[in-house]
């Protein structure tokens, strides 16, 4: 914004023309691939299906993350010191202690018109320290909404993040074509992406793109350290899709990892939640009885 102040004068000024030049970056192979994904994403979103069903297995793990030695020696925990024998470490060699587990197997059914969903729980198991004090864990499930990578906006902790495959993502992301491979006898390309500016509500990560359909075969995204998300230190998401009948891509596996620290200090001890979901017996466009839902 330029504010230009001109003093009063009785004389007329000649016309002043201000011109600007803008250099347009030519499409790189990475940008060309990105445009193909955006153009074809309506073909891969589940909204186009009239109905589907699958068996879902979900496991949620709650950990004490980044455990400090002083915590293990806290005098009130001495009677429970045996639990620290189960301490494990992440790939980044950060120690953590699993304390709660929740598992569920269910059948999920969906119909588009009129829109109906149904879930039949076949098995449910909850275990861990203090399990007798926890009767209802549905609020945990509600904290993790379904993340559709093809949506333009992904909401996390009440903040709107731009999806790497949003229509206007080129203004917020840089894309790099880093690798190619043959997967399931089909050519695929590895498309990496990162925010253009620090502080933007964007993700960093990569996706493998199927060359024939321009669909996302798999995806891994996470947040950079400078992302300002209340109480959430780390966020990582992994999704794997399967090609059904050579037509529709369907999410086969999803793993979500979030670490939460009320002090907002990433070096201090925090809590970590890992949610893993896998889908089997996927059925596209099944026929339901009239009163099924």
């Amino acid at each position: 914004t330029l504010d230009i102040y001109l003093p009063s004068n009785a004389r007329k000024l000649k016309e002043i023309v201000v011109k600007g030049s803008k250099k347009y970056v030519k499409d790189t192979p990475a940008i060309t691939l990105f445009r193909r994904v955006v153009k074809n994403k309506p073909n891969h979103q589940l909204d186009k299906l009239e109905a589907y069903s699958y068996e879902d297995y979900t496991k949620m793990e709650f950990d004490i993350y980044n455990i400090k030695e002083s915590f293990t020696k806290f005098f009130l925990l001495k009677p429970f010191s045996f639990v620290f024998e189960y301490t494990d470490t992440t790939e980044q060699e950060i120690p953590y202690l699993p304390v709660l587990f929740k598992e569920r197997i269910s059948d999920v059914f969906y119909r588009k018109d009129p829109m109906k969903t149904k879930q039949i729980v076949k098995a449910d198991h909850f275990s861990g320290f203090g399990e007798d004090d926890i009767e209802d864990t549905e609020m945990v499930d509600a904290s993790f909404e379904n993340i559709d990578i093809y949506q333009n906006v992904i909401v996390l902790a009440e903040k709107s993040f731009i999806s790497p495959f949003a229509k206007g993502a080129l203004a917020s992301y840089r894309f790099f074509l880093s690798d190619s491979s043959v997967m399931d006898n089909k050519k695929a390309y590895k498309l990496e992406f990162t925010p253009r500016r620090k502080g933007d509500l964007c993700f960093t990560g990569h996706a493998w793109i199927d060359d024939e359909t321009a669909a996302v075969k798999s995806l891994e995204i996470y947040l950079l350290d400078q992302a300002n998300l209340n109480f959430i230190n780390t966020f990582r998401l992994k999704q794997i899709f399967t090609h059904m009948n050579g037509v529709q891509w369907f999410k086969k596996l999803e793993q979500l990892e979030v670490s939460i620290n009320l002090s907002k200090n990433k070096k201090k001890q925090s809590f970590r939640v890992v949610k893993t979901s896998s889908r089997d017996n996927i059925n596209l466009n099944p026929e339901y009885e009239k009163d099924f839902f």
Side-chain angles (χ1 to χ4, degrees):
T1 301
L2 296 177
D3 294 328
I4 302 173
Y5 298 89
L6 300 178
S8 300
N9 197 301
R11 293 177 298 175
K12 281 189 175 182
L13 296 175
K14 292 182 179 181
E15 183 185 44
I16 298 175
V17 179
V18 180
K19 294 183 178 180
S21 62
K22 181 177 181 180
K23 295 181 180 179
Y24 291 90
V25 179
K26 295 182 179 180
D27 282 3
T28 63
I31 294 178
T32 300
L33 183 59
F34 160 80
R35 293 191 191 278
R36 285 189 61 205
V37 175
V38 173
K39 180 181 179 180
N40 288 278
K41 69 180 184 178
N43 300 328
H44 309 310
Q45 291 178 291
L46 293 182
D47 294 345
K48 62 173 290 187
L49 291 176
E50 294 298 325
Y52 57 80
S53 65
Y54 59 87
E55 181 186 65
D56 177 79
Y57 167 73
T58 297
K59 180 181 74 172
M60 298 191 71
E61 175 185 332
F62 299 79
D63 306 324
I64 299 177
Y65 192 62
N66 198 17
I67 292 180
K68 305 297 183 182
E69 185 177 357
S70 57
F71 177 77
T72 63
K73 295 181 178 180
F74 188 50
F75 75 98
L76 289 178
L77 297 177
K78 284 186 178 180
F80 310 99
S81 58
F82 66 92
V83 302
F84 297 109
E85 297 176 5
Y86 298 95
T87 300
D88 205 342
T89 57
T90 65
E91 293 179 0
Q92 295 77 28
E93 298 186 354
I94 299 176
Y96 69 92
L97 176 67
V99 292
L100 294 173
F101 285 95
K102 179 179 180 180
E103 293 177 286
R104 171 173 291 178
I105 300 176
S106 59
D107 289 331
V108 179
F109 305 90
Y110 167 84
R111 184 181 65 192
K112 181 179 180 180
D113 187 22
M115 202 281 284
K116 293 285 185 179
T117 59
K118 182 176 182 178
Q119 183 181 29
I120 300 176
V121 178
K122 298 192 292 185
D124 202 1
H125 181 235
F126 190 89
S127 63
F129 305 108
E131 59 179 298
D132 295 336
D133 300 326
I134 301 178
E135 298 179 356
D136 186 9
T137 60
E138 296 303 322
M139 63 179 181
V140 175
D141 294 330
S143 301
F144 298 95
E145 299 294 337
N146 182 44
I147 296 177
D148 183 357
I149 194 60
Y150 290 119
Q151 292 291 335
N152 291 326
V153 175
I154 297 174
V155 179
L156 297 177
E158 300 182 349
K159 287 191 176 183
S160 297
F161 286 76
I162 300 173
S163 168
F165 299 109
K167 289 184 178 180
L170 285 176
S172 303
Y173 284 92
R174 298 183 186 275
F175 292 90
F176 309 93
L177 196 59
S178 61
D179 198 1
S180 64
S181 181
V182 176
M183 300 178 177
D184 301 324
N185 297 321
K186 291 184 178 181
K187 192 71 173 289
Y189 296 97
K190 186 177 183 181
L191 185 64
E192 299 191 22
F193 43 83
T194 189
R196 284 187 175 272
R197 294 166 294 272
K198 291 183 178 180
D200 280 2
L201 295 180
C202 299
F203 301 98
T204 295
H206 72 269
W208 281 95
I209 309 299
D210 179 66
D211 181 42
E212 181 180 350
T213 61
V216 177
K217 291 175 62 72
S218 65
L219 169 90
E220 290 189 37
I221 59 175
Y222 59 93
L223 294 178
L224 295 176
D225 292 338
Q226 59 262 30
N228 185 19
L229 203 57
N230 292 338
F231 307 119
I232 294 181
N233 290 347
T234 59
F235 171 89
R236 294 179 181 271
L237 174 70
K238 179 179 181 180
Q239 293 181 338
I240 298 176
F241 298 84
T242 183
H243 206 186
M244 300 292 299
N245 302 326
V247 179
Q248 178 68 42
W249 288 87
F250 205 89
K251 190 193 302 180
K252 175 74 174 177
L253 177 71
E254 179 176 81
Q255 186 174 65
L256 179 66
E257 177 183 336
V258 178
S259 64
I260 303 170
N261 192 342
L262 298 181
S263 69
K264 294 187 179 182
N265 187 336
K266 297 184 179 182
K267 294 183 179 181
K268 290 190 176 181
Q269 192 168 284
S270 59
F271 293 96
R272 185 179 72 153
V273 182
V274 181
K275 179 181 179 181
T276 304
S277 300
S278 62
R279 298 172 174 180
D280 289 305
N281 301 326
I282 301 171
N283 188 8
L284 302 184
N285 295 319
E287 294 184 2
Y288 299 118
E289 297 293 336
K290 184 177 181 180
D291 57 349
F292 178 79
F293 289 97

